[in-house]
Amino acid sequence: MNVINIRNISKTYVMGVEEVHALHDVTVQIDRGEYVAIMGPSGSGKSTLMNMLGCLDTPTSGLYEFNGANVSEMNDNDLARIRNKEIGFVFQTFNLIPRSDALHNVELPLIYGGVNAHERKRLAAEALNHVNLGDRMHHRPNELSGGQRQRVAIARALVTKPSIILADEPTGNLDTKTGDEIMTLFEELHHQGNTIILVTHEEYIAEHAHRIIRLRDGVIEKDENVQKRVIPTVA
Amino acid sequence: MGMRIADFAYELKEGLAISFQAIRANKMRSVLTTLGIVIGIVSVTLMGTAIEGLSRGFNDSISKIGADVLYVQKWPWFGGEGEWWKYRNRKDIKMPQFDAIERHATLIKSATPMAGTRAPVKYKGQSSEGVLTLGANDQYLETGGVSMDFGRFFNQAESDGGRPICVLGSEVAENLFPNETPLGKTIRIGTSTFRVIGVMEKQGSLLGIESLDNRIVVPIEGFIRRFGANRGIQINVKAADIKNLDDTKEELRGILRKARHVPPTGEDDFAINQQEMFIQTFNAIGAVVAGIGLFITALSLFVGAIGIMNIMFVSVTERTKEIGIRKAIGAKRSTILLQFLVESASLSLIGGIIGIIISYPLSLLVNQILPTSMPLSVVGIAILISIIVGVVSGFLPANRASKLDPVEALRYE
Ligand SMILES: Nc1ncnc2c1ncn2[C@@H]1O[C@H](COP(=O)(O)OP(=O)(O)OP(=O)(O)O)[C@@H](O)[C@H]1O
Ligand SMILES: [Mg+2]
């Protein structure tokens, strides 16, 4: 069964008299265990789609089923619960809580999920170890490098063992080398069975994915499975 | 699906942690914000302390005054403001009226005439300031509910004879005789000399103002002879049974009207005072203190509440992005609401605690006048009030925070 089932979704913003169709009649299904990249020019609706998938935003029209449950009919508390338990977000700007250390940042979703303190500490430490930050648990975000911050954010996304991980340009604020490290990490997570949906501008980053959805002006232009390529040998 | 208690506890704890981080990050701003609360709490604790002091002093004094004692005087203790001249022009109460009471009253246990002077008191080189020398008879101890520390009181024969002897209050005894026994010594009051025959037990003070121990008692007959034959007296009467206090009062009234030749239709030209009037006076003072205190408290708490509301709106705006992040990882509206309510309550509580800390030395000052210390209940009330003010003033900002749209909030820079 698919985790995500979107049918004929539209998102329209009304700006005065003008209507902006950020998404128009989008239909997508994503299965458990997939690694999907969403690409497209700036303003094509990638972030809007991600926010919708992440239950941060609701569509103007259309159907969204998450694990078989109709998201469009959910109230605020239900949406918060899905965001907490089923979705792990990774943002371009890391979005860590600046005054809290790495461990507390990773603990936070567990606090909101009602996990007890002992279990929380254990799971958070485990997630940080998973992203190789076991030795940086008590550093605050401003005491970490960009790549380390993004790894804290990934640990935070992983810690609740969500159904999907959503990453909106996770390497956008990182240099190429650090970006590559992060992409390697995503690849590992995918190998371990996580479902990953990732927005990117860069073709070479999208190449990590197994499926690329291309958006243009709020419409799906192309949705293709890509065979995991072997590095082409130059003739 | 209802929220589990544990979930609530985690969120509350997280809310507290966030609050203290946020407040610590903005120490100066936070302290300034709570100024109104500080003033409000200082005023509420001082008011509570003062009222507590008044009532404690009052209770002490009441027991010293004695519930079963009636005071025949020219002036009523309470009421009749603006009739000063009327009371002023009344005939003084004189010894023959005391004699009439002694002869005719049937419902009394004891009675003593009382007159006083503040003539200077000296013993050798020592002198004692502001001593009240009282003339009374041998019933003084009984009527006033006083007991002796050592030595003895004068007896009826000595009293009637107006002997030049005296009994000292404990404070006078300490001042005049720091290193020797006063018994048998001769002291000088005004221009007359008196031999000390006893010292009374320590009694404390009346409302913390008038010491009951800075007194000397001498036989009334001698007192009148030495300090002026024309002076008026008052008469203290102890009822035989407190249950018959009203009857006793009526009987006294009849005797006095006759003795003072008040015409049958005339108004009493004397007052019979009792504890109850003291209660009325006390209540009036207490009401004024409470009124002023409440006004200052309410005003400053209101100002404080506005200050907190304002700073919480600023705080919510500053942390819009953080609110977005928290929502993205699963914070519910109620979570965010709770977080900011806890923060404003903490802020206000800090103000309350600063207020209590400031009030403490001030309450020691109040203690100079009134027998009191800051009661624990007042501290509890102050803490409760500051938390409530914090929650109430934080509600609008917290509500705004909880309703922020997560996508908008995340986009905020
Ligand atoms: N809150 C909003 N109000 C009005 N218009 C909006 C709003 N949010 C997004 N849009 C519009 O919707 C369209 C899609 O925006 P979106 O952020 O999804 O683009 P994107 O593909 O993520 O672009 P980028 O690559 O620059 O991040 C844009 O034209 C944008 O202006
Ligand atoms: Mg975007």
Side-chain angles (χ1 to χ4, degrees), chain B residues 94-371:
Chain B
K94 289 291 181 59
M95 279 307 280
Q97 288 145 42
F98 169 73
D99 296 336
I101 290 173
E102 231 188 4
R103 216 169 307 126
H104 300 298
T106 58
L107 299 173
I108 71 172
K109 187 172 194 180
S110 61
T112 177
M114 297 267 272
T117 177
R118 301 243 180 217
V121 175
K122 287 200 178 72
Y123 171 69
K124 289 188 181 159
Q126 307 276 9
S127 65
S128 192
E129 290 304 308
V131 179
L132 177 63
T133 300
L134 292 172
N137 68 8
D138 56 298
Q139 314 260 295
Y140 176 85
L141 291 184
E142 166 90 64
T143 315
V146 188
S147 33
M148 295 299 293
D149 188 7
F150 56 90
R152 62 179 185 90
F153 205 77
F154 46 82
N155 59 32
Q156 194 182 349
E158 286 165 330
S159 172
D160 292 348
R163 305 281 303 142
I165 50 179
C166 67
V167 176
L168 305 182
S170 59
E171 193 176 329
V172 182
E174 277 164 34
N175 288 340
L176 292 184
F177 302 97
N179 305 314
E180 53 185 320
T181 173
L183 292 184
K185 305 283 157 42
T186 301
I187 62 168
R188 180 175 289 276
I189 305 174
T191 56
S192 309
T193 53
F194 294 81
R195 189 167 49 86
V196 180
I197 60 166
V199 174
M200 292 177 284
E201 224 165 43
K202 192 170 172 60
Q203 279 179 277
S205 62
L206 209 55
L207 264 185
I209 301 161
E210 168 74 13
S211 167
L212 297 173
D213 301 310
N214 199 20
R215 290 183 173 182
I216 299 176
V217 187
V218 306
I220 182 82
E221 295 295 343
F223 182 94
I224 290 174
R225 220 178 297 140
R226 288 177 180 87
F227 299 113
N230 294 329
R231 73 172 55 233
I233 59 167
Q234 76 172 53
I235 303 168
N236 295 5
V237 180
K238 191 181 183 78
D241 187 346
I242 193 166
K243 288 198 220 75
N244 297 332
L245 199 61
D246 287 344
D247 293 342
T248 313
K249 200 171 174 178
E250 270 315 298
E251 188 186 55
L252 281 182
R253 228 184 117 217
I255 295 168
L256 285 164
R257 283 177 70 92
K258 206 164 150 215
R260 288 169 71 86
H261 311 293
V262 180
T265 52
E267 197 186 327
D268 290 351
D269 64 349
F270 55 88
I272 302 178
N273 291 316
Q274 63 190 94
Q275 219 187 45
E276 205 174 284
M277 299 178 173
F278 202 67
I279 298 176
Q280 289 170 352
T281 312
F282 164 76
N283 285 344
I285 298 171
V288 170
V289 172
I292 296 171
L294 276 181
F295 179 74
I296 299 173
T297 303
L299 195 70
S300 40
L301 287 182
F302 181 73
V303 172
I306 299 287
I308 288 184
M309 191 186 310
N310 182 48
I311 215 71
M312 287 309 294
F313 272 126
V314 172
S315 185
V316 167
T317 307
E318 282 175 351
R319 278 145 70 195
T320 300
K321 178 126 187 174
E322 180 188 318
I323 294 164
I325 298 171
R326 289 179 188 275
K327 286 197 162 193
I329 60 176
K332 294 189 276 289
R333 276 185 189 173
S334 58
T335 314
I336 302 293
L337 187 79
L338 181 72
Q339 178 194 321
F340 281 94
L341 285 184
V342 167
E343 183 166 330
S344 65
S346 309
L347 203 54
S348 180
L349 182 61
I350 287 174
I353 289 170
I354 295 176
I356 290 170
I357 292 170
I358 292 178
S359 309
Y360 185 69
L362 293 179
S363 79
L364 294 182
L365 280 182
V366 174
N367 195 13
Q368 300 290 304
I369 309 167
L370 297 168

Side-chain angles (χ1 to χ4, degrees), chain A residues 83-84 95 104 112 114 116, chain B residues 10 14 321 326-327 329:
Chain A
R83 290 198 293 267
N84 182 247
N95 284 351
H104 192 79
Y112 295 143
N116 72 55
Chain B
Y10 300 150
E14 171 69 9
K321 178 126 187 174
R326 289 179 188 275
K327 286 197 162 193
I329 60 176

Side-chain angles (χ1 to χ4, degrees), chain A residues 116-150:
Chain A
N116 72 55
H118 181 77
E119 185 69 357
R120 237 155 50 201
K121 292 259 183 300
R122 191 182 67 75
L123 290 170
E126 191 181 285
L128 280 168
N129 280 322
H130 200 140
V131 297
N132 282 325
L133 280 179
D135 54 345
R136 293 285 189 278
M137 292 197 196
H138 297 294
H139 288 235
R140 297 208 191 147
N142 63 2
E143 298 159 349
L144 295 168
S145 73
Q148 287 170 330
R149 286 183 213 186
Q150 195 60 299

